[in-house]
Amino acid sequence: MNLNDQQQNREQWGSKVGFILAAAGSAVGLGNLWKFPYTAGQNGGGAFVLVYFAILILVGFTLMLAELILGRHTQLNAISAYRKIKEKWAWVGGIGILASYLILSFYSVIGGWVVNYIVKSMTGAFNTADTEVLSSIFVNFITNPIQPIIYQAIFVILTLGIVIGGVSGGIEKYSKILMPGLFVMMVLIMIRSVTLPGASEGIKYLLLPDFSKIDGNVMLAALGQVFFSLSLGMGVIITYGSYLGKDENLPQSSFTIPLIDTIIALLAGLAILPAVFAFGFDPAGGPGLIFITLPAVFSQMPLGNVFALLFFLLVLFAALTSSISLLEASVSYVVDEWKMSRKKATFILSFVVFLLGVPSSLAQGPWSHIKFIRGLDFLDSMDFIASNLLLPIGGFFLCIFIGWVWGIENALKEATNDGKISFKLAKFWAFLIKWVAPIAILIVFIQGLK
Ligand code: PFF
């Protein structure tokens, strides 16, 4: 099959809303629900949120549009998309796909923890507010050599099942159900949280910026969070864009997706931080915030078990709509390039990613003493390679490719559907993609290596 046949036979999203939900589903995940609240907590609350917004507008929207343009123009997976325009640039897509695959390996481990916490909430394991008891429940689970791997396998199987269904049959169908459900559950928990006695401190902490807290570290944390949260630099948005029809309004989509992502992150912040303040926990508590602190919070609430169950189901939904996009990036490559059937590709890639994730799981317990890069355990090393090395490299070269190699004129032609729709911010976007975004990313990359 040649490229043209491939493009003609390519599946497309069944509807406009289906695409937006799927792309927003990729963006909204553990990054919003688990990472955003504690990163905000550690970086001055409102100050972080303010900088996050600024970077979101300058870099997030810019790269989102760039990836959608590239995917829709070529109608190909990330590697082939670059190759089709400039043969020599295929490796940039390769970096993205590699990053998405590495991320998926440890994302599945954390996803497995979430599945376990759903089971725990159903069996009423969190009837105590004692943080010591709750942290030992958490630590006992993640250090166990076998159990977390079983749950990781369950998470991979759930991801695989959805991806096998194909674009409109699988990803789109589930996103249509899962995303609105996620939003509704989030609002319910948020309402409960902000009405707790003492919650106002947490609301103020998150929403009132303390300008004196803004420094290089806060900006770096915010930039990294924008990348991870929007699924940028991974080839994922390129891949999703490749399933878009030629009449789609790309500038509009590249605005809507970050908007939905940000609303969910803020809802998560408002669901978690006010409750943390109300019960006197530490807002900078880090990764344990969801798994240790929140069950304590839920146990102090009427209908706490129901809230706990709802919350972890919600986290699982969000993690799944992200993990399916992570898997889809490599499945789409193997299907396009190696001419493998979607089913076979999905099975093989899922199995390998499961194996790749096992050391990340073991690194929490029996292998915790083994260090790989920079004194980090296996899971953190994978995260470091993907998030701190591959992601900024991929993002930076995406800007250079669109802004300087392929050219703004070609990109804008695609963005405006050959001039059929208007794009008022075209000049501003061109400036951002050529200058602002690559320079900002370069700074993060250098800082990340320090
Ligand atoms: N954006 C997802 C989150 O916030 O959890 C994670 C993610 C998905 C990152 C897909 C990268 C990616 F390509």
Side-chain angles (χ1 to χ4, degrees):
M1 204 178 357
N2 64 32
L3 270 185
N4 283 337
D5 289 343
Q6 218 180 69
Q7 286 167 289
Q8 267 156 25
N9 295 339
R10 199 165 185 81
E11 269 187 278
Q12 290 206 342
W13 300 104
S15 66
K16 191 182 162 82
V17 65
F19 160 71
I20 291 289
L21 287 178
S26 166
V28 176
L30 295 171
N32 306 60
L33 302 170
W34 159 76
K35 203 157 177 258
F36 182 86
Y38 86 72
T39 311
Q42 287 170 334
N43 288 282
F48 172 86
V49 174
L50 188 77
V51 178
Y52 182 88
F53 273 126
I55 296 177
L56 180 80
I57 293 163
L58 295 179
V59 178
F61 150 81
T62 310
L63 290 198
M64 179 66 68
L65 181 54
E67 290 205 15
L68 287 177
I69 287 173
L70 194 54
R72 211 253 321 248
H73 179 78
T74 57
Q75 305 270 296
L76 291 166
N77 66 78
I79 294 180
S80 316
Y82 280 98
R83 179 180 297 138
K84 192 183 175 206
I85 295 175
K86 277 268 181 299
E87 181 83 39
K88 284 207 182 102
W89 281 72
W91 63 274
V92 181
I95 283 183
I97 290 182
L98 181 64
S100 67
Y101 203 63
L102 296 185
I103 289 183
L104 181 58
S105 76
F106 66 83
Y107 210 82
S108 307
V109 174
I110 314 283
W113 297 357
V114 175
V115 176
N116 177 266
Y117 265 60
I118 290 171
V119 175
K120 281 194 169 59
S121 3
M122 286 195 295
T123 54
F126 311 125
N127 283 328
T128 172
D130 187 335
T131 31
E132 303 243 313
V133 174
L134 289 167
S135 41
S136 70
I137 292 179
F138 178 64
V139 172
N140 282 345
F141 170 66
I142 65 166
T143 55
N144 184 297
I146 314 260
Q147 272 214 15
I149 297 177
I150 296 173
Y151 282 98
Q152 175 206 349
I154 296 173
F155 186 84
V156 172
I157 291 168
L158 288 172
T159 305
L160 172 155
I162 303 173
V163 170
I164 273 200
V167 176
S168 47
I171 295 175
E172 188 168 346
K173 192 173 93 194
Y174 286 90
S175 295
K176 265 188 202 164
I177 307 166
L178 299 184
M179 283 295 292
L182 174 92
F183 179 76
V184 171
M185 277 202 249
M186 216 55 237
V187 170
L188 285 178
I189 295 173
M190 191 267 294
I191 291 172
R192 172 67 281 205
S193 187
V194 298
T195 52
L196 287 168
S200 61
E201 274 312 300
I203 303 172
K204 276 192 227 150
Y205 183 74
L206 191 68
L207 298 182
L208 293 183
D210 173 353
F211 290 94
S212 68
K213 292 230 172 87
I214 299 178
D215 62 12
N217 287 334
V218 171
M219 291 167 87
L220 269 178
L223 188 52
Q225 178 65 20
V226 167
F227 253 102
F228 193 86
S229 194
L230 291 180
S231 307
L232 293 171
M234 305 284 167
V236 164
I237 301 295
I238 297 179
T239 307
Y240 272 25
S242 76
Y243 300 123
L244 275 177
K246 288 290 179 192
D247 51 352
E248 194 78 28
N249 188 328
L250 298 187
Q252 203 176 58
S253 304
S254 62
F255 179 75
T256 315
I257 300 161
L259 184 73
I260 296 174
D261 189 70
T262 307
I263 290 173
I264 299 281
L266 282 177
L267 278 176
L270 283 172
I272 291 165
L273 284 171
V276 164
F277 274 82
F279 290 103
F281 292 114
D282 177 10
L289 214 56
I290 279 189
F291 294 105
I292 297 171
T293 312
L294 273 185
V297 173
F298 291 137
S299 81
Q300 298 294 295
M301 291 161 42
L303 291 179
N305 272 333
V306 179
F307 274 107
L309 182 61
L310 278 180
F311 183 78
F312 288 111
L313 273 174
L314 163 100
V315 179
L316 176 68
F317 286 171
L320 276 174
T321 51
S322 297
S323 64
I324 57 180
S325 76
L326 287 165
L327 182 57
E328 178 63 20
S330 41
V331 165
S332 149
Y333 169 71
V334 170
V335 169
D336 283 353
E337 293 283 303
W338 302 355
K339 311 288 175 272
M340 200 185 272
S341 76
R342 167 169 276 275
K343 213 172 178 166
K344 197 169 160 195
T346 310
F347 270 111
I348 294 174
L349 287 166
S350 305
F351 186 65
V352 175
V353 93
F354 165 72
L355 293 181
L356 192 65
V358 167
S360 283
S361 185
L362 292 175
Q364 310 310 309
W367 290 8
S368 61
H369 59 285
I370 308 176
K371 306 296 175 209
F372 291 82
I373 299 170
R374 304 171 142 223
L376 297 170
D377 69 25
F378 194 83
L379 192 154
D380 292 336
S381 298
M382 286 301 215
D383 188 16
F384 179 80
I385 296 170
S387 313
N388 297 17
L389 299 181
L390 299 176
L391 186 148
I393 295 174
F396 175 80
F397 283 103
L398 171 74
C399 297
I400 303 299
F401 184 76
I402 299 283
W404 302 94
V405 177
W406 188 39
I408 292 293
E409 208 170 299
N410 289 323
L412 284 178
K413 209 171 150 213
E414 184 66 35
T416 58
N417 303 353
D418 284 327
K420 282 195 214 59
I421 53 169
S422 83
F423 176 26
K424 294 204 180 68
L425 294 174
K427 283 220 173 88
F428 182 53
W429 177 78
F431 175 66
L432 293 176
I433 194 87
K434 284 176 89 163
W435 299 102
V436 179
I439 291 171
I441 293 165
L442 207 62
I443 293 169
V444 176
F445 183 64
I446 292 164
Q447 292 292 329
L449 285 185
K450 273 188 191 157

